[in-house]
């Protein structure tokens, strides 16, 4: 049974154009071709990425946060209450009015005190500013290095300037070491993101992030199996072009550098739109959908690869919508509340004394975070 499934899975007609077999992609005459077994290394490399990330956040990002004077806001903690804590853990973090009334009778607190307790308890569970800064620092460092590496791998290749050459001689296209390691490292990093997503800062597009990571991993694996490596390297380099700008904007957001953060966000928005909504659909997707048909009839791999590309493109449009909304409101001078953000709740409306710094208003948001808390004395 397993052998039958294995044979069906690796049936040449699924992966390769007509009249070609796996034998045509066997290493010979010093030419090396992409093989499925190459990808085994990505799982241990993903675990290595998690280890490197741990030490990076501890010994690089944390001191950098201190250097940039990233400050935590003191949060009022919810007093111990077994009844309310049990409801919080088992039934929900935002009780309805009927449930508030019931909990009020059970705990001996007033309805307003119950609501206040749940606000404080939710705030306790929200990620700290330092955690957000460390995550952004790690992703910024990786994306910047990956973008530079991606450009180094692709910019000297003829298909970087003439997309028709992506398919020249396909699929009999040998792999060079720089392409191999670029693929292995990128795929390993996305595995590490998928492994850590449950413990990372959660935003309202959590499900879309999972879809993005899974679609990217499937796309990278399939493109390696089917030797779509030239197209794959171009797609990876294109995606890394804007990501490091966003993460750097987040870092300056958490540090309180208003002007730097806002300027970086505008640059990020411009680069994102150009790369994801212009170059991606009108150059890259055109390259993967149109040019191959000039060389061979469409086969399952052709449809599958372009379906995954379409999923990524829809996610780009989804995120571009929020980015453009933020950019428009920022340019027009309106206060912005990003729909993706999970902002901390305040108790000032009830006349309570809040913790130090709690009265600061949030400003422009970038990718789910308030850009500025401008009570910070730092200027740039």
């Amino acid at each position: 049974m397993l052998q039958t499934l294995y044979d069906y899975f690796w049936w040449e007609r699924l992966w390769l154009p007509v009249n070609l077999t796996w034998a045509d992609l066997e290493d010979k005459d010093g030419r090396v071709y992409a093989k499925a077994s190459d990808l085994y290394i990505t799982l241990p490399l993903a675990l290595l990425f998690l280890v490197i990330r741990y030490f990076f956040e501890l010994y690089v990002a944390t001191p950098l946060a201190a250097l940039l004077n990233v400050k935590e806001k003191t949060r009022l903690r919810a007093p111990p209450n077994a009844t309310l804590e049990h409801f919080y853990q088992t039934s929900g973090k935002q009780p309805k009015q009927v449930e508030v009334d019931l909990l009020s009778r059970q705990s001996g607190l007033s309805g307003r005190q119950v609501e206040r307790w749940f606000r404080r308890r939710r705030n306790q569970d929200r990620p700290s500013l330092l955690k957000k800064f460390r995550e952004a620092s790690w992703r910024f460092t990786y994306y910047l290095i990956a973008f530079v590496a991606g450009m180094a791998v692709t910019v000297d290749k003829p298909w970087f300037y003439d997309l028709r050459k992506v398919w020249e001689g396909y699929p009999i296209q040998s792999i060079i070491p720089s392409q191999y390691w670029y693929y292995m490292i990128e795929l390993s990093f996305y595995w590490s993101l998928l492994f850590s997503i449950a413990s990372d800062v959660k935003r309202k597009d959590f499900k879309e992030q999972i879809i993005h990571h899974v679609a990217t991993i499937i796309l990278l694996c399939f493109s390696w199996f089917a030797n779509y490596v030239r197209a794959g390297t171009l797609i990876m380099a294109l995606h890394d072009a804007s990501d490091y700008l966003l993460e750097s904007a987040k870092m300056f957001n958490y540090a309180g550098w208003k002007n730097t953060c806002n300027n970086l966000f505008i640059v990020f928005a411009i680069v994102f739109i150009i790369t994801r909504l212009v170059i991606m659909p009108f150059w890259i997707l055109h390259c993967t959908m149109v040019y191959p048909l000039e060389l061979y009839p469409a086969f399952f791999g052709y449809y599958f690869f372009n379906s995954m590309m379409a999923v990524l493109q829809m996610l780009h449009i989804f995120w571009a919508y929020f980015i453009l909304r933020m950019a428009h409101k920022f340019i027009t001078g309106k206060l912005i509340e990003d729909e993706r953000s999970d902002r901390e709740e305040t108790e000032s409306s009830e006349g309570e004394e809040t913790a130090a710094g709690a009265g600061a208003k949030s400003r422009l948001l970038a990718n789910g975070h308030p850009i500025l808390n401008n009570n910070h004395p730092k200027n740039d």
Side-chain angles (χ1 to χ4, degrees):
M1 175 64 73
L2 291 177
Q3 184 61 42
T4 302
L5 292 175
Y6 180 86
D7 292 340
Y8 274 116
F9 183 80
W10 292 112
W11 184 35
E12 284 95 343
R13 295 290 68 78
L14 293 178
W15 302 94
L16 301 174
V18 66
N19 297 328
L20 288 167
T21 67
W22 294 117
D24 297 310
L25 295 178
E26 292 180 356
D27 298 347
K28 55 186 174 183
D29 302 327
R31 295 169 66 89
V32 179
Y33 299 93
K35 295 177 285 294
S37 58
D38 295 334
L39 301 186
Y40 292 151
I41 195 176
T42 61
L43 292 178
L45 280 179
L47 298 178
L48 179 60
F49 261 120
L50 295 177
V51 174
I52 295 173
R53 172 181 172 174
Y54 172 80
F55 286 104
F56 175 90
E57 291 184 355
L58 186 63
Y59 294 109
V60 178
T62 301
L64 181 60
L67 183 65
L68 293 176
N69 203 21
V70 175
K71 292 182 177 180
E72 288 288 359
K73 181 171 66 177
T74 304
R75 295 174 177 175
L76 294 170
R77 300 184 63 84
N81 188 301
T83 300
L84 301 185
E85 183 67 30
H86 176 75
F87 184 94
Y88 183 86
Q89 296 292 343
T90 60
S91 300
K93 299 180 180 181
Q94 293 183 314
K96 300 177 182 178
Q97 187 58 50
V98 175
E99 294 169 327
V100 169
D101 295 338
L102 178 61
L103 290 170
S104 175
R105 292 193 296 270
Q106 292 175 346
S107 63
L109 300 175
S110 68
R112 177 164 291 188
Q113 288 175 320
V114 171
E115 292 172 347
R116 181 183 304 135
W117 188 95
F118 274 93
R119 277 195 296 273
R120 292 183 180 180
R121 186 66 181 83
R122 288 192 297 268
N123 283 337
Q124 285 178 218
D125 282 351
R126 287 188 169 85
S128 68
L129 196 63
L130 179 59
K131 177 178 174 63
K132 294 178 181 179
F133 180 88
R134 293 193 299 192
E135 286 188 11
S137 299
W138 164 248
R139 289 193 294 264
F140 163 76
T141 303
Y142 173 79
Y143 288 135
L144 179 59
I145 294 174
F147 175 65
V148 173
M151 294 305 296
V153 168
T154 59
V155 75
D156 62 337
K157 306 300 188 294
W159 53 85
F160 183 84
Y161 305 95
D162 183 359
L163 292 178
R164 289 184 182 275
K165 292 185 179 296
V166 166
W167 307 107
E168 190 174 287
Y170 178 84
I172 314 300
Q173 297 173 338
S174 58
I175 303 298
I176 60 178
S178 60
Q179 291 174 320
Y180 170 84
W181 284 111
Y182 186 38
Y183 247 84
M184 297 306 109
I185 290 173
E186 284 276 46
L187 183 54
S188 301
F189 179 75
Y190 278 101
W191 275 121
S192 74
L193 288 183
L194 191 61
F195 294 157
S196 64
I197 196 169
S199 59
D200 288 345
V201 175
K202 290 184 177 61
R203 300 182 181 90
K204 292 182 180 180
D205 66 342
F206 178 74
K207 293 180 181 178
E208 288 79 10
Q209 287 283 357
I210 293 178
I211 293 172
H212 175 270
H213 296 339
V214 171
T216 301
I217 289 171
I218 293 174
L219 187 61
L220 289 175
C221 290
F222 177 84
S223 63
W224 186 261
F225 295 161
N227 209 15
Y228 277 41
V229 173
R230 292 182 182 180
T233 54
L234 293 176
I235 294 165
M236 290 188 293
L238 186 69
H239 278 71
D240 290 334
S242 61
D243 290 337
Y244 70 92
L245 292 169
L246 175 60
E247 300 304 331
S248 63
K250 291 181 185 179
M251 291 170 61
F252 286 109
N253 161 27
Y254 305 138
W257 292 49
K258 175 183 178 181
N259 294 334
T260 303
C261 176
N262 293 345
N263 292 334
L264 282 170
F265 176 75
I266 295 300
V267 174
F268 156 74
I270 294 171
V271 174
F272 185 95
I273 298 302
I274 292 173
T275 56
R276 309 291 181 93
L277 298 189
V278 179
I279 297 177
M280 181 73 170
F282 296 107
W283 272 270
I284 302 299
L285 278 174
H286 184 267
C287 171
T288 61
M289 289 183 174
V290 177
Y291 295 160
L293 299 180
E294 298 175 356
L295 303 175
Y296 53 80
F299 64 106
F300 172 80
Y302 166 87
Y303 292 116
F304 184 82
F305 180 85
N306 285 294
S307 295
M308 290 294 100
M309 292 284 288
V311 170
L312 288 181
Q313 187 58 47
M314 286 188 288
L315 288 170
H316 296 160
I317 295 172
F318 170 81
W319 283 313
Y321 167 75
F322 293 108
I323 291 170
L324 289 174
R325 278 174 58 101
M326 289 187 286
H328 175 262
K329 292 182 180 179
F330 168 60
I331 292 172
T332 57
K334 296 179 181 178
L335 186 66
I336 287 181
E337 178 67 33
D338 186 356
E339 290 84 350
R340 289 186 4 146
S341 67
D342 184 20
R343 62 187 178 87
E344 188 160 330
E345 298 165 86
T346 179
E347 302 176 60
S348 58
S349 61
E350 299 179 13
E352 284 194 300
E353 180 182 355
T354 56
K361 295 181 179 179
S362 62
R363 308 290 186 190
L364 170 68
L365 293 167
N367 203 26
H369 299 290
I371 289 292
L372 265 260
N373 182 335
N374 288 324
N375 285 356
H376 199 293
K378 187 179 298 184
N379 294 308
D380 57 290

